[in-house]
């Protein structure tokens, strides 16, 4: 009787195939195909063993095939686990990208709504706008017309002035170790840097007192005193 183990050969992927059907060049097989080939060879050896015709060499081949099958199953489980992990990572990545897109869309909608709301309420909410500038000019001279570029320039100057006041006021508040910007911080900046006193907010005692202009009689008296002292 022919030796079944002698008719076996191991291909490049670790699978056992009949020698008569072994390809002349190594042929890659899938892991599932390799496991199927090993199981087929094991079944053939087990059939021989049932007939009590299995010799020592065939027993060794059968043991090797069973060890190889066990390793192949371990590898198969590892591959399946890797695939599951990859699928989970891809699903999480797709979910994260979807959430980011939704957040970006929501932010875009909110930003557009905010811009629309600010544009609608701009005439009433701004400290100074073109309409208020035009009203101020009409109070001075009803016939005066301002060029659009002049209006834009005045708005820019007003914005810069307000930003400067707020920034300097915050620095003064920080200097006195406070996290709240108060009226006194703004008033102090206006008084020191702009020589401005706001009616209703600045106390009278803090205002600089101007010396009264000297009258002609007073100057004559002072000249007479100096002349007397020189004698």
């Amino acid at each position: 009787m022919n030796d079944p183990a002698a008719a076996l050969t191991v291909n490049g992927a670790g699978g056992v195939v009949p020698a008569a059907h072994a390809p002349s060049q190594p042929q890659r097989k899938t892991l599932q195909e390799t496991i199927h080939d090993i199981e087929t060879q094991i079944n053939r050896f087990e059939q021989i063993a049932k007939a009590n015709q299995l010799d020592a060499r065939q027993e060794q081949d059968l043991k090797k095939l069973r060890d190889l099958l066990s390793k192949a199953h371990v590898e198969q489980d590892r591959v399946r686990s890797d695939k599951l992990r990859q699928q989970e990572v891809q699903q999480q990545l797709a979910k994260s990208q979807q959430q980011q897109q939704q957040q970006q869309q929501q932010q875009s909608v909110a930003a557009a709504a905010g811009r629309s709301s600010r544009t609608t309420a701009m005439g009433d909410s701004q400290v100074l706008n073109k309409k208020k500038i035009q009203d101020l000019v009409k109070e001075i001279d009803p016939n005066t017309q301002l060029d659009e570029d002049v209006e834009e320039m005045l708005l820019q100057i007003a914005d810069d002035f307000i930003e400067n006041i707020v920034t300097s006021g915050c620095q003064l508040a920080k200097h006195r170790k406070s996290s709240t910007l108060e009226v006194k911080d703004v008033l102090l900046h206006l008084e020191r840097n702009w020589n401005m006193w706001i009616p209703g907010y600045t106390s009278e005692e803090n205002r600089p007192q101007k010396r009264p202009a000297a009258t002609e009689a007073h100057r004559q008296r002072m000249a007479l005193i100096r002349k007397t002292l020189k004698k």
Side-chain angles (χ1 to χ4, degrees):
M1 183 175 179
N2 294 332
D3 186 357
L8 297 177
T9 183
V10 179
N11 64 6
V16 180
V17 296
H21 300 288
S24 58
Q25 295 180 354
Q27 182 179 358
R28 296 183 63 86
K29 286 189 176 183
T30 64
L31 183 59
Q32 187 62 36
E33 291 173 342
T34 302
I35 291 175
H36 176 72
D37 290 342
I38 295 173
E39 290 175 342
T40 300
Q41 297 304 320
I42 290 175
N43 290 334
R44 290 179 61 185
F45 277 110
E46 288 177 347
Q47 292 296 326
I48 297 173
K50 288 180 181 179
N52 294 324
Q53 296 178 354
L54 197 65
D55 58 24
R57 183 178 178 180
Q58 290 173 335
E59 288 181 356
Q60 292 178 356
D61 290 339
L62 179 59
K63 183 179 179 181
K64 292 179 181 178
L65 286 170
R66 286 173 175 168
D67 291 341
L68 186 60
L69 180 63
S70 176
K71 293 178 180 178
H73 283 153
V74 171
E75 180 66 14
Q76 187 180 45
D77 292 340
R78 186 191 66 79
V79 172
R80 288 176 178 173
S81 178
D82 290 343
K83 287 183 177 180
L84 289 175
R85 270 198 299 269
Q86 289 177 358
Q87 291 176 355
E88 291 177 356
V89 170
Q90 291 176 353
Q91 291 175 355
Q92 292 177 356
L93 182 60
K95 185 177 180 180
S96 176
Q97 290 176 348
Q98 185 178 6
Q99 290 177 349
Q100 289 179 355
Q101 291 176 354
Q102 291 177 351
Q103 290 178 355
Q104 290 176 354
Q105 291 176 354
Q106 292 174 356
Q107 291 175 356
S108 299
V109 171
R115 286 194 298 269
S116 177
S117 176
R118 288 193 297 270
T119 302
T120 302
M122 186 175 293
D124 297 328
S125 61
Q126 278 190 318
V127 176
L128 186 64
N129 52 38
K130 291 184 179 181
K131 185 178 183 302
K132 292 181 179 179
I133 291 178
Q134 293 171 358
D135 292 340
L136 289 172
V137 172
K138 288 180 179 180
E139 290 180 3
I140 300 173
D141 186 355
N143 298 322
T144 301
Q145 294 276 341
L146 290 181
D147 187 74
E148 186 174 355
D149 292 338
V150 176
E151 293 177 350
E152 292 292 343
M153 182 186 66
L154 292 175
L155 289 175
Q156 185 62 47
I157 293 174
D159 289 341
D160 294 342
F161 179 70
I162 294 173
E163 182 179 357
N164 176 270
I165 292 175
V166 173
T167 302
S168 300
C170 289
Q171 292 175 350
L172 291 172
K174 183 179 180 180
H175 179 70
R176 59 181 178 82
K177 298 180 180 181
S178 174
S179 59
T180 303
L181 177 63
E182 297 182 6
V183 175
K184 60 184 179 181
D185 301 316
V186 176
L187 292 177
L188 182 59
H189 172 71
L190 291 175
E191 293 172 3
R192 289 184 175 180
N193 296 277
W194 296 92
N195 198 29
M196 293 175 61
W197 285 265
I198 310 301
Y201 291 95
T202 306
S203 58
E204 292 295 332
E205 58 271 16
N206 291 335
R207 287 193 177 187
Q209 300 294 329
K210 293 183 179 180
R211 298 177 62 184
T215 62
E216 182 63 28
H218 177 71
R219 285 196 292 268
Q220 291 179 358
R221 284 195 298 271
M222 293 301 296
L224 181 60
I225 292 173
R226 293 192 190 98
K227 186 178 180 180
T228 305
L229 291 176
K230 290 179 181 180
K231 292 182 179 180

